[in-house]
Amino acid sequence: MRYVIVGGVAGGMSAATRLRRLDETAEIIIIDKGAYVSFANCGLPYYVAGEITERADLLVQTPAKLKARFNLDVRVNSEVVGIQSYQKSLTVKTATEEYQLSYDKLLLSPGGQATIPPLSGLSNLPSYTMRSVADVDAVTAFIEREQPQTIAVIGGGYIGLEMSESLTNRGIKVHLINRSAHVLNTVDEEMAVFVEQELREQAVELHLKTQITAITADQKVILNDGRVIACDALIIAAGIKPATGFLEKTPIALGKDGGIIVNEQFETTVTDIFAVGDAILVPQLISKEASLLALASPANRQGRFVADVMSGLSRSFKGTLGTSIVRVFSQTVAATGLNESDLKRLGYHYQVLHVMGKNHAGYYPHATGILLKVLFNKDDGQLYGAQAIGQAGVDKRIDVLATAIYAKLTIDQLPELELSYAPPFGVAKDVVNMAGYVGMNISEGLTQPIQWHELAGKVAGGAVLIDVRSAAEFAKGHIVGALNHPLDAIREQPLTIAKETTLIVSCQTGLRSYIAERLLTQQGYTVYNLDGAYHLYAQIQSEKVEYK
Amino acid sequence: MRYVIVGGVAGGMSAATRLRRLDETAEIIIIDKGAYVSFANCGLPYYVAGEITERADLLVQTPAKLKARFNLDVRVNSEVVGIQSYQKSLTVKTATEEYQLSYDKLLLSPGGQATIPPLSGLSNLPSYTMRSVADVDAVTAFIEREQPQTIAVIGGGYIGLEMSESLTNRGIKVHLINRSAHVLNTVDEEMAVFVEQELREQAVELHLKTQITAITADQKVILNDGRVIACDALIIAAGIKPATGFLEKTPIALGKDGGIIVNEQFETTVTDIFAVGDAILVPQLISKEASLLALASPANRQGRFVADVMSGLSRSFKGTLGTSIVRVFSQTVAATGLNESDLKRLGYHYQVLHVMGKNHAGYYPHATGILLKVLFNKDDGQLYGAQAIGQAGVDKRIDVLATAIYAKLTIDQLPELELSYAPPFGVAKDVVNMAGYVGMNISEGLTQPIQWHELAGKVAGGAVLIDVRSAAEFAKGHIVGALNHPLDAIREQPLTIAKETTLIVSCQTGLRSYIAERLLTQQGYTVYNLDGAYHLYAQIQSEKVEYK
């Protein structure tokens, strides 16, 4: 049996080593275009930052080590330029030769390649992508040689944000140019604004809803809002697309954006040809919508999975949640499942909730806040997705929620999750549990949340906004038009507003406003609770003011 | 409606505030024996350590604040000395009076009290428990006044370990006296030995399988192994028992160790009397065995739950996993579900696996190891429990596994969990995913693990132990009798052992030995894999050598 694998990084190499463990006698050949296989692609921005100091640490494996340990035939600097699937053969091209290579089973794991926007004058500036060891070598050499003052990063996705942080930490002024209204399309806008605040606080110059018009011969970047930035280089992190150009003339079917179409066994439309990784279209676990996903963990998982399938073990892939995380200076933002944009686009009926918690007991030193957003179905409780931002413990909460969503737990089961608690590690009622309590309150009609974007409409319709924080907190900043009536005074000094008036209650994070909502509802008012309260509203509104 | 709640800390106060949110008109009276309600009991050891510096931070709420916010009638320094359930009334005793208090619904949340072992000469030494603000005040006053050199801590459970750390960090020499063979009965012995190693490395004098025989008039502690320790004080952390003495003459049924018997609605055997928290017997989620559980999170959860029940909402409690965590100096150890001792005692058919992973990408700075043990059913894949130890990220893994166990996921689903991955936060194939892969390999017959305690028997039966680490690693330390044959040499220089010989393979953590097992099995050998490999075996064996 000869297995040929095209692409020797996450998915391809996981498949190769698993194939070997399952079959000592098989011939396993890995063809890779690049000079390195099995390298730490997710580590590249941290090497640029100088956090990872040894280049050798990026090179997880070498062909020689893979030969010794797994008897793999790894062929680097080799490009597949043709596939003759009718005779089960590839055409491989190297610097010196072109040859035919037959296979019994073929795995395609070519990965993605950076999208280069068609920029007028692009050649006027040194520009770098961040996909390979060669890329990182080039950018670090440039930085050391030229000592650049200012670099423009195009694209506010994961790589763009990680590079913004890395370059800033090296003392370089960063302009982050983002085409859409907010960075990070994995999270919704009211979550992204907290990332944007962090970027600005760390002196990254943020250009939202902005594109480059041209780059001049004297190395100036012209933006479509008229601004002109003098730059020393460009980092292009404007997304990736499947590196599937070599498949265009083959019978292997490609779908949206050139992604390879696969079935539940990661088999392509051609017999004995399989595909995994960034280049394939994978179904989302809940919606089943097929989309591209450029993440290391799923690629690794798919690689091992497809090796089992190729070896004849029975496996069936159900879909992906696309859990993702990124550190942006002192903040971490993570997400899993469907976000609100997805749900809206797909026509789901969904409920949103936001809850603020702490990473660990508030009375234990260095507790920091976590803002958690959960999306679910109010009627049957199904969890659709979650997003979180904070300085610590965000990964844990999103991992728990990813597990809960995968396991088809419902919103009312989140309070029952028994998460480890001691003061340095968690909170007796964790923010994940709290999200479940809030969700249950919504489902059972004990609270009626409205979202930040619904407030103006409700007020225009005659509702009165009551801010139940203390007078001191209110004085520091509040929503225009809000009346201040501290929670602890409501029983002693009842509101003098007619019971027919609709009230909206708010506080700092939503905890006190909920208590006020329960009290006022029982006093006979119709009450709505501003979900996420002032903390969320002030952030997203200040963004709007700044950019509308 | 008058609700009376006995005990105003975790469970009782959660119930009280939820009752108020559900019913603004109810009368809610909380009776507490102590001077403080709603205090941070889990924070007490950290206050002794000086990590939590403000005493006020321990006092989460005061009766005045609870009155203002929730209209609660909190009566501290008040003890319930009688319950007349036939007339729905309590007898309450204070320093100045004794009175009758009627109730419509009664919630008992009396908590636990420290077990004081009957020690001969106990009064010869200052001794302290660690249950209340008064306890912590007493011990901190003693330390500041007497500047003790040496303190003996009785009991290696959570409080005993936290106090050992806290006192050591204050410069006090600690003798930790533990009756059973290992500390921490929530984890199994081969996990506990890593905690014991950490304690010794941090200069805690550990006395395992040891009891105090007597305390002499000149303040010497005599141990049953003949050792004599000069001590300045004792911390008694020898476990807790339900504070249910006041219920003994009532019709409220008590079970094992005086725990209150409740049904799925936390109702006691007497109508309109409910109970939650450390004083009740709760069913384990999987085994349904009723036991005591002294943990803050479950108590809080039960409190809110029972308030719903008492208010007429439909709720049904299924059981608890008892997830727990403790920091011991630089190590963290956590557990969820059933441990191996439980499974053995209850007669379960179970499979054990150990897997070593990292808290985050190995190439990113400061990666540290996590040893994870998972217990499951090899036939149907049901997860029974998990334990982990390491310097970082232990809480996250156990929380994910607690969620998985609660959700009834099976071992073969663990690889599919999509946990957030970026180099500072995780590993592309997380240790939780790896546990799933190993479990699948076991279930599908691709690996045959044997446990540390099975090795001697197999070798006695004629099996040969092959250590596949490098010669350099082998030279640093190895299991007596092992043959060294590095993994990467096996294909080029095959073993010269007859194929009829049974082999056991081992390496450092189990990764290389599994690769060797697959290779040698396919070469025709019968092979077993030493689960946990040298890392685990050396630790548990050195303990045995030291103490047998």
Side-chain angles (χ1 to χ4, degrees):
Chain A
M1 173 69 73
R2 178 188 280 177
Y3 296 110
V4 176
I5 298 172
V6 180
V9 191
M13 200 52 76
S14 290
T17 55
R18 173 69 172 173
L19 283 170
R20 173 58 69 222
R21 292 192 298 269
L22 294 174
D23 186 355
E24 181 57 25
T25 62
E27 192 181 0
I28 305 173
I29 301 170
I30 295 124
I31 306 292
D32 201 288
K33 246 167 74 170
Y36 302 98
V37 288
S38 198
F39 65 90
N41 39 11
C42 302
L44 303 181
Y46 302 96
Y47 180 70
V48 174
E51 276 190 87
I52 297 172
T53 52
E54 297 301 317
R55 183 173 178 281
D57 286 347
L58 298 176
L59 307 174
V60 180
Q61 284 290 359
T62 62
K65 282 198 225 164
L66 291 163
K67 173 71 185 170
R69 179 148 303 174
F70 294 103
N71 191 23
L72 301 179
D73 178 354
V74 180
R75 305 180 186 180
V76 294
N77 299 313
S78 299
E79 187 175 356
V80 173
V81 292
I83 300 182
Q84 298 79 44
S85 59
Y86 56 92
Q87 60 185 37
K88 300 181 85 168
S89 161
L90 306 175
T91 307
V92 180
K93 191 181 162 189
T94 70
T96 54
E97 58 168 343
E98 191 167 301
Y99 60 93
Q100 296 300 109
L101 181 65
S102 69
Y103 63 81
D104 294 306
K105 293 192 178 176
L106 174 64
L107 174 61
L108 304 173
S109 181
Q113 61 196 40
T115 306
I116 310 293
L119 293 176
S120 158
L122 180 58
S123 60
N124 291 329
L125 261 184
S127 71
Y128 303 93
T129 57
M130 195 50 51
R131 293 287 306 164
S132 67
V133 177
D135 289 341
V136 85
D137 285 342
V139 79
T140 50
F142 170 79
I143 291 171
E144 275 153 33
R145 192 177 64 239
E146 304 289 336
Q147 303 284 321
Q149 302 286 305
T150 307
I151 290 182
V153 174
I154 306 180
Y158 291 110
I159 305 296
L161 292 176
E162 287 172 349
M163 286 304 294
S164 295
E165 177 186 314
S166 292
L167 296 171
T168 301
N169 287 344
R170 287 195 68 142
I172 299 167
K173 173 71 184 176
V174 171
H175 286 265
L176 179 56
I177 300 164
N178 194 65
R179 199 168 56 172
S180 57
H182 294 285
V183 297
L184 269 189
N185 62 12
T186 50
V187 300
D188 297 310
E189 54 185 327
E190 83 280 18
M191 304 298 282
V193 294
F194 289 92
V195 179
E196 293 157 8
Q197 180 190 24
E198 176 69 9
L199 288 165
R200 292 196 190 95
E201 283 179 6
Q202 302 285 347
V204 172
E205 193 98 8
L206 199 52
H207 303 269
L208 297 174
K209 268 185 154 170
T210 304
Q211 286 179 266
I212 295 177
T213 308
I215 298 163
T216 63
D218 61 341
Q219 303 205 324
K220 291 205 166 58
V221 172
I222 318 283
L223 303 179
N224 64 344
D225 61 4
R227 292 193 58 182
V228 178
I229 310 163
C231 279
D232 301 313
L234 276 184
I235 300 288
I236 301 177
I240 69 157
K241 58 185 177 193
T244 52
F246 72 109
L247 301 177
E248 275 167 14
K249 285 176 188 159
T250 71
I252 298 164
L254 304 181
K256 195 173 63 178
D257 300 321
I260 304 169
I261 294 172
V262 295
N263 65 15
E264 290 191 352
Q265 283 74 41
F266 293 104
E267 200 172 11
T268 69
T269 50
V270 176
T271 307
D272 291 332
I273 303 183
F274 300 81
V276 295
D278 294 3
I280 68 167
L281 290 163
V282 281
Q284 206 278 344
L285 185 66
I286 300 164
S287 71
K288 302 298 175 194
E289 186 185 32
S291 63
L292 295 166
L293 187 73
L295 290 169
S297 283
N300 275 295
R301 184 176 300 117
Q302 292 163 16
R304 190 182 190 280
F305 185 107
V306 82
D308 288 359
V309 172
M310 292 168 83
S311 303
L313 292 168
S314 169
R315 301 282 186 262
S316 180
F317 181 73
K318 296 298 175 216
T320 194
L321 286 173
T323 308
S324 62
I325 190 164
V326 62
R327 189 186 72 193
V328 185
F329 297 97
S330 72
Q331 298 288 328
T332 301
V333 57
T336 187
L338 297 166
N339 62 28
E340 195 169 352
S341 310
D342 295 329
L343 292 165
K344 216 175 271 176
R345 180 171 48 76
L346 297 167
Y348 276 76
H349 171 70
Y350 65 89
Q351 174 67 47
V352 175
L353 69 82
H354 298 86
V355 56
M356 276 291 292
K358 297 272 188 207
N359 66 319
H360 64 231
Y363 58 77
Y364 186 81
H366 312 303
T368 54
I370 295 175
L371 173 61
L372 174 65
K373 174 179 187 173
V374 176
L375 296 146
F376 65 104
N377 183 311
K378 197 163 75 167
D379 301 322
D380 65 12
Q382 183 179 8
L383 295 167
Y384 292 139
Q387 300 158 38
I389 183 162
Q391 290 185 45
V394 163
D395 53 334
K396 179 163 76 173
R397 275 63 183 201
I398 289 299
D399 286 358
V400 165
L401 283 161
T403 305
I405 295 171
Y406 170 80
K408 297 191 166 58
L409 295 188
T410 50
I411 188 83
D412 57 305
Q413 292 182 295
L414 296 184
E416 295 181 25
L417 297 182
E418 289 178 64
L419 308 178
S420 52
Y421 169 59
F425 302 103
V427 177
K429 282 177 185 160
D430 191 85
V431 66
V432 172
N433 300 133
M434 291 305 296
Y437 284 134
V438 173
M440 282 176 79
N441 285 337
I442 295 171
S443 296
E444 297 186 345
L446 291 168
T447 182
Q448 293 195 92
I450 60 164
Q451 296 303 314
W452 59 273
H453 53 82
E454 296 172 309
L455 178 62
K458 280 269 182 245
V459 170
V464 171
L465 177 63
I466 311 286
D467 186 327
V468 300
R469 294 178 301 167
S470 69
E473 288 171 282
F474 188 80
K476 276 191 209 156
H478 57 263
I479 300 170
V480 176
L483 301 179
N484 185 218
H485 201 104
L487 170 61
D488 292 350
I490 294 179
R491 283 190 194 85
E492 298 290 313
Q493 300 158 2
L495 298 183
T496 53
I497 298 169
K499 292 283 160 76
E500 296 69 33
T501 312
T502 295
L503 304 180
I504 301 160
V505 286
S506 178
C507 61
Q508 185 63 29
T509 66
L511 188 62
R512 282 172 288 175
S513 65
Y514 167 61
I515 300 168
E517 179 188 13
R518 293 300 310 147
L519 208 174
L520 293 166
T521 300
Q522 293 185 68
Q523 286 184 354
Y525 289 101
T526 300
V527 189
Y528 293 91
N529 188 3
L530 181 61
D531 190 40
Y534 183 71
H535 177 70
L536 185 72
Y537 188 84
Q539 192 66 41
I540 179 81
Q541 282 307 108
S542 75
E543 292 285 325
K544 284 209 169 287
V545 170
E546 195 165 344
Y547 289 99
K548 77 179 168 191
Chain B
M1 173 69 74
R2 177 187 280 177
Y3 296 110
V4 175
I5 298 172
V6 180
V9 192
M13 200 51 77
S14 290
T17 55
R18 173 71 172 173
L19 283 169
R20 173 57 71 222
R21 292 192 299 269
L22 293 173
D23 186 356
E24 181 57 26
T25 62
E27 191 180 3
I28 305 172
I29 301 170
I30 294 121
I31 306 292
D32 201 288
K33 247 167 74 169
Y36 302 97
V37 288
S38 199
F39 65 92
N41 38 13
C42 302
L44 303 181
Y46 301 97
Y47 180 70
V48 174
E51 276 190 88
I52 297 171
T53 52
E54 297 302 315
R55 183 174 178 279
D57 286 346
L58 298 176
L59 307 173
V60 181
Q61 285 290 1
T62 62
K65 283 198 226 166
L66 290 162
K67 175 72 185 168
R69 179 147 303 175
F70 294 103
N71 191 23
L72 300 179
D73 178 354
V74 179
R75 305 181 186 180
V76 293
N77 299 314
S78 298
E79 188 175 358
V80 174
V81 294
I83 300 183
Q84 298 79 45
S85 57
Y86 55 94
Q87 59 185 37
K88 298 181 88 167
S89 161
L90 306 176
T91 308
V92 180
K93 191 181 163 190
T94 70
T96 53
E97 58 168 343
E98 189 166 303
Y99 62 92
Q100 294 300 111
L101 180 66
S102 69
Y103 62 83
D104 294 306
K105 294 190 177 177
L106 174 63
L107 173 61
L108 304 173
S109 181
Q113 62 195 37
T115 306
I116 309 292
L119 294 177
S120 158
L122 181 57
S123 61
N124 291 329
L125 262 184
S127 71
Y128 302 94
T129 57
M130 194 51 51
R131 293 288 305 166
S132 67
V133 177
D135 288 339
V136 87
D137 286 343
V139 79
T140 50
F142 170 80
I143 291 171
E144 275 152 33
R145 191 177 66 239
E146 304 289 337
Q147 302 285 321
Q149 303 285 306
T150 307
I151 290 182
V153 174
I154 305 179
Y158 292 110
I159 305 296
L161 292 176
E162 288 173 348
M163 286 304 293
S164 294
E165 177 186 316
S166 292
L167 296 170
T168 301
N169 287 345
R170 288 196 67 144
I172 298 167
K173 173 72 184 175
V174 172
H175 287 264
L176 178 56
I177 300 164
N178 194 67
R179 197 168 57 172
S180 57
H182 294 285
V183 298
L184 270 189
N185 61 12
T186 51
V187 300
D188 297 309
E189 54 183 329
E190 84 280 18
M191 303 299 281
V193 292
F194 289 91
V195 178
E196 292 157 7
Q197 179 189 26
E198 176 69 9
L199 289 164
R200 292 194 190 97
E201 282 178 7
Q202 303 286 347
V204 171
E205 193 98 8
L206 198 53
H207 304 268
L208 297 175
K209 269 185 149 169
T210 304
Q211 287 179 267
I212 294 176
T213 308
I215 298 163
T216 63
D218 60 344
Q219 303 206 322
K220 291 204 165 58
V221 172
I222 318 282
L223 303 179
N224 63 345
D225 61 7
R227 291 193 59 182
V228 178
I229 310 163
C231 279
D232 302 313
L234 275 185
I235 300 288
I236 301 177
I240 69 156
K241 58 185 177 195
T244 51
F246 72 110
L247 301 177
E248 275 166 13
K249 284 176 187 158
T250 72
I252 297 165
L254 303 181
K256 195 173 62 177
D257 300 321
I260 304 169
I261 294 171
V262 296
N263 65 15
E264 290 191 353
Q265 283 73 40
F266 294 104
E267 200 172 12
T268 69
T269 50
V270 176
T271 308
D272 290 332
I273 303 184
F274 300 80
V276 294
D278 294 3
I280 67 167
L281 291 163
V282 280
Q284 205 278 345
L285 185 66
I286 300 164
S287 70
K288 302 298 175 195
E289 185 185 34
S291 63
L292 295 166
L293 186 74
L295 290 168
S297 283
N300 274 295
R301 184 175 300 117
Q302 292 162 16
R304 190 182 190 279
F305 186 107
V306 82
D308 287 0
V309 172
M310 292 167 82
S311 302
L313 292 169
S314 169
R315 300 281 186 261
S316 178
F317 181 74
K318 296 299 175 215
T320 194
L321 286 174
T323 307
S324 62
I325 190 164
V326 63
R327 190 187 70 193
V328 185
F329 297 97
S330 72
Q331 298 288 327
T332 301
V333 57
T336 188
L338 297 166
N339 62 27
E340 194 168 350
S341 310
D342 296 329
L343 291 166
K344 216 174 273 177
R345 179 173 47 76
L346 297 167
Y348 275 76
H349 169 70
Y350 65 89
Q351 174 68 46
V352 175
L353 69 84
H354 298 85
V355 55
M356 276 292 291
K358 297 274 187 205
N359 67 318
H360 64 230
Y363 59 77
Y364 186 82
H366 313 304
T368 54
I370 295 174
L371 173 62
L372 174 65
K373 176 179 187 174
V374 176
L375 296 147
F376 65 104
N377 182 311
K378 197 163 75 168
D379 301 323
D380 65 13
Q382 183 179 8
L383 296 168
Y384 292 139
Q387 300 160 37
I389 183 161
Q391 291 186 43
V394 163
D395 52 335
K396 178 162 77 173
R397 275 63 183 202
I398 290 299
D399 286 359
V400 165
L401 283 160
T403 305
I405 296 171
Y406 169 80
K408 297 191 167 57
L409 295 188
T410 49
I411 187 84
D412 58 305
Q413 292 181 296
L414 296 184
E416 295 180 24
L417 297 181
E418 289 178 65
L419 309 178
S420 53
Y421 168 61
F425 301 104
V427 178
K429 281 176 185 161
D430 192 84
V431 67
V432 173
N433 300 133
M434 290 305 297
Y437 284 134
V438 173
M440 281 176 81
N441 285 336
I442 294 171
S443 296
E444 297 186 343
L446 292 168
T447 183
Q448 292 195 93
I450 61 165
Q451 295 303 315
W452 59 272
H453 52 82
E454 297 172 309
L455 179 63
K458 280 268 183 245
V459 170
V464 172
L465 177 62
I466 311 286
D467 187 326
V468 302
R469 295 177 301 166
S470 69
E473 289 171 281
F474 188 81
K476 276 190 207 156
H478 57 263
I479 300 171
V480 177
L483 300 180
N484 185 218
H485 201 102
L487 169 60
D488 293 349
I490 294 180
R491 284 190 194 85
E492 297 289 312
Q493 299 159 3
L495 297 184
T496 53
I497 298 170
K499 293 281 159 79
E500 296 67 36
T501 311
T502 296
L503 304 181
I504 301 160
V505 286
S506 178
C507 60
Q508 186 62 29
T509 66
L511 188 61
R512 282 172 288 176
S513 65
Y514 167 60
I515 299 169
E517 179 189 11
R518 293 300 310 146
L519 207 173
L520 293 166
T521 300
Q522 293 185 68
Q523 287 184 353
Y525 288 101
T526 300
V527 189
Y528 292 92
N529 188 3
L530 181 61
D531 191 41
Y534 184 70
H535 178 69
L536 185 74
Y537 189 85
Q539 191 67 41
I540 178 82
Q541 283 306 110
S542 76
E543 291 286 325
K544 284 212 169 284
V545 170
E546 196 166 343
Y547 289 99
K548 76 183 169 190

